[in-house]
Amino acid sequence: MSEWDELFRENILDHYRNPRNRGVLEHPDLTYEDANPLCGDRIRMDFKISDGRIEEVRFSGHGCSISQASASMLCEEIEGKPLDEVKKLSREDVLEMLGIELGPVRLKCALLALKTLKAGVYGLPQWPGEEDA
Amino acid sequence: MVPAPGSAPAPAPARTFDARAVRAQFPILREPREQPLFYLDSAATSQKPDAVLQAMDRYYSTCNANIHRGVYAIAEQATAAYEDARRRVAAFVGAGSPREIIFTRNSTEAINLVAYAWARSTLRAGDAIVLTEMEHHSNLVPWHMLAEEWNARGTAIELRFIPITPQGELDLSVLPALLADGRVKLVSVVHVSNVLGTINPVVEIARQAHAAGARVLIDASQSVPHLPIEVRELGADFVAFTGHKMLGPTGIGVLWARREILEAMPPFMGGGEMIREVKLSGSKWNELPWKFEAGTMPIAEAIGLGAAVDYLTALGMDAVFAHDRELTAYALPRLAAIPGVRLMGPALERRAGVVAFTLEGVHPHDVATVLDRDGVAVRAGHHCAMPLHEKLGVPASARASFHCYSVPEDVDALVRGLHRTRHVFGS
């Protein structure tokens, strides 16, 4: 196996196979769902928010390993964090979590979860990094 | 003369060619690369031989001028080269006259031309259009747009669909019922499915459609580049195809239609060249084919398409078809032998050089991403045929497709890559 294969297995497949925070919340304070029309990847996020913190977050949806793994990683990262901090998460942060290089098309898969998160907590339905486009 | 492959497969080829010698004429396959390229996405776009690139370069470097206007030498050379390309394309598909060859941007524009210029001037409220569940979005969306527009103004038209079987073939048993009430004015079908590779029996479909008083449009985007086609023997009224899938450049496509239909149609777009006479109060249309070619056309691209047609003619389309078939026959059992691979589409005898598949437990995008690490280029997704995938119950698929330069080593690399994908995913 190449280094890329190993990284892919360790970083992506672990979360894809054993997703953290997968599911839905019964009475969420916030829910947002988004999809990537190019490939049909779909992610919904439910949030419980109290005292300006993300008390609980769950994601659901379907798609390729990269879209689902990045949702899992992101949920793990933000649970319990103050909204102010969550709002600062950038595409670079997500790519660092994933830890493998991706072409521009797969970048959309990787960033769908962050786009869903930002639209949910921030009301910004845009691709991260394309806010000015 | 090769029979039109409407339903029967092509006969044994009179000629064959050496795909390795062919590859040497394609710069992208010939030039050394950092990583070898196993190009298996010819159904999306084909690679281009030297002959095409040189023909376009020659136009730009020796006689670049606008056509049909200048009275100086290079303008006349440019016009001659452009119109010569039209003659070559007409001969290639067996058109009755070069005037029946309308240059467009691509198949999509050719189908839209029919939807706007013919359908909107011909259909009446209550009419119906028959499509199939196998269509590329380019032969669905123009009709959705037409239906929505007409329904909104109270002149409803109906879209009907020939269903597909689980094997990925058209279920023609329902066609008589779809045509029975005499309201169908157009039957628009794909000749070869871009996902499944299914070769549809368009000759029989056209026969039934004509008997019911309907016109027939064939989306030949995947058939003209790969099969010997004589448009008049298909029995169609309109045939759409695109240059970039047949070794030509992007930006040039073709609508063929029978001359009397084109004569009776109003223009599609207005502008320069498509008019004979313009006064401030109105215009008179130019004659065929220029009535449908408004504005400066993609001249270099048309010339490039002419060179592509020459190249394919020299190979022989019967030999191209046989080559694709041979590779498909090589690929199908090797892919089927990989645990977890599910092949889509019909048996080899009814299939062109396209193999779509899924790998159990791995999303097609992930398959394509791992394959790309080894330089294997396949398409993954819904291939602009979302209704087809929905009908077959798979959200997306991976697809390998061939052309004259494809070799068994490409298939071997794909098979190796799929084993590796299974290994990476631990399935």
Tab-separated table of all heavy atoms in Angstrom, chain B residues 16 64 103 152 228 273 307 344 346 390 399 401:
chain	number	residue	atom	x	y	z
B	16	THR	N	-9.369	-4.377	-40.066
B	16	THR	CA	-9.032	-4.171	-38.659
B	16	THR	C	-7.892	-3.161	-38.628
B	16	THR	O	-7.316	-2.829	-39.659
B	16	THR	CB	-8.554	-5.473	-37.990
B	16	THR	OG1	-7.467	-5.988	-38.757
B	16	THR	CG2	-9.661	-6.497	-37.907
B	64	ASN	N	-6.724	32.112	-41.420
B	64	ASN	CA	-7.701	32.594	-40.438
B	64	ASN	C	-8.416	33.833	-40.964
B	64	ASN	O	-7.806	34.891	-41.132
B	64	ASN	CB	-6.999	32.916	-39.121
B	64	ASN	CG	-7.965	33.494	-38.102
B	64	ASN	OD1	-8.993	32.893	-37.826
B	64	ASN	ND2	-7.652	34.665	-37.592
B	103	PHE	N	-24.442	22.836	-38.535
B	103	PHE	CA	-23.454	22.858	-37.454
B	103	PHE	C	-24.042	23.560	-36.232
B	103	PHE	O	-24.676	24.621	-36.343
B	103	PHE	CB	-22.172	23.573	-37.908
B	103	PHE	CG	-21.287	22.713	-38.786
B	103	PHE	CD1	-20.720	23.230	-39.949
B	103	PHE	CD2	-21.008	21.394	-38.443
B	103	PHE	CE1	-19.903	22.453	-40.761
B	103	PHE	CE2	-20.194	20.603	-39.242
B	103	PHE	CZ	-19.641	21.131	-40.403
B	152	ALA	N	-47.801	26.278	-18.676
B	152	ALA	CA	-48.027	27.535	-17.956
B	152	ALA	C	-48.969	28.452	-18.729
B	152	ALA	O	-49.691	29.247	-18.137
B	152	ALA	CB	-46.697	28.240	-17.701
B	228	PRO	N	-20.993	2.300	-37.519
B	228	PRO	CA	-21.266	2.798	-38.869
B	228	PRO	C	-22.719	3.255	-38.943
B	228	PRO	O	-23.625	2.480	-38.625
B	228	PRO	CB	-21.025	1.575	-39.767
B	228	PRO	CG	-20.846	0.408	-38.876
B	228	PRO	CD	-20.788	0.854	-37.463
B	273	GLU	N	-25.490	36.057	-40.981
B	273	GLU	CA	-25.337	34.878	-41.827
B	273	GLU	C	-26.622	34.080	-42.020
B	273	GLU	O	-26.801	33.460	-43.052
B	273	GLU	CB	-24.218	33.955	-41.291
B	273	GLU	CG	-23.866	32.786	-42.189
B	273	GLU	CD	-23.530	33.201	-43.614
B	273	GLU	OE1	-22.972	34.299	-43.790
B	273	GLU	OE2	-23.846	32.444	-44.554
B	307	ALA	N	-11.579	16.833	-40.218
B	307	ALA	CA	-10.372	15.996	-40.156
B	307	ALA	C	-10.638	14.727	-39.331
B	307	ALA	O	-10.124	13.649	-39.660
B	307	ALA	CB	-9.220	16.795	-39.550
B	344	MET	N	-23.621	-3.337	-14.988
B	344	MET	CA	-24.924	-2.851	-15.416
B	344	MET	C	-25.004	-2.981	-16.937
B	344	MET	O	-23.988	-2.986	-17.613
B	344	MET	CB	-25.083	-1.378	-15.008
B	344	MET	CG	-25.026	-1.170	-13.495
B	344	MET	SD	-24.660	0.539	-13.024
B	344	MET	CE	-26.122	1.388	-13.616
B	346	PRO	N	-26.875	-4.429	-20.798
B	346	PRO	CA	-27.313	-5.653	-21.469
B	346	PRO	C	-26.160	-6.572	-21.846
B	346	PRO	O	-24.993	-6.267	-21.593
B	346	PRO	CB	-27.990	-5.120	-22.732
B	346	PRO	CG	-27.242	-3.870	-23.036
B	346	PRO	CD	-26.852	-3.279	-21.708
B	390	GLU	N	-32.093	6.221	-11.013
B	390	GLU	CA	-33.190	6.060	-10.055
B	390	GLU	C	-33.978	4.799	-10.393
B	390	GLU	O	-34.317	4.005	-9.520
B	390	GLU	CB	-34.079	7.301	-10.104
B	390	GLU	CG	-34.978	7.421	-8.894
B	390	GLU	CD	-35.829	8.681	-8.952
B	390	GLU	OE1	-35.393	9.668	-9.593
B	390	GLU	OE2	-36.917	8.660	-8.363
B	399	ARG	N	-18.018	4.168	-14.602
B	399	ARG	CA	-18.173	3.782	-16.001
B	399	ARG	C	-16.836	3.820	-16.718
B	399	ARG	O	-16.106	4.802	-16.628
B	399	ARG	CB	-19.133	4.755	-16.701
B	399	ARG	CG	-19.332	4.455	-18.184
B	399	ARG	CD	-20.096	5.565	-18.868
B	399	ARG	NE	-19.283	6.758	-18.992
B	399	ARG	CZ	-19.740	7.948	-19.395
B	399	ARG	NH1	-21.007	8.099	-19.694
B	399	ARG	NH2	-18.929	8.977	-19.489
B	401	SER	N	-15.258	3.443	-20.625
B	401	SER	CA	-15.699	3.460	-22.023
B	401	SER	C	-14.488	3.588	-22.936
B	401	SER	O	-13.468	4.147	-22.551
B	401	SER	CB	-16.686	4.604	-22.244
B	401	SER	OG	-16.151	5.827	-21.783
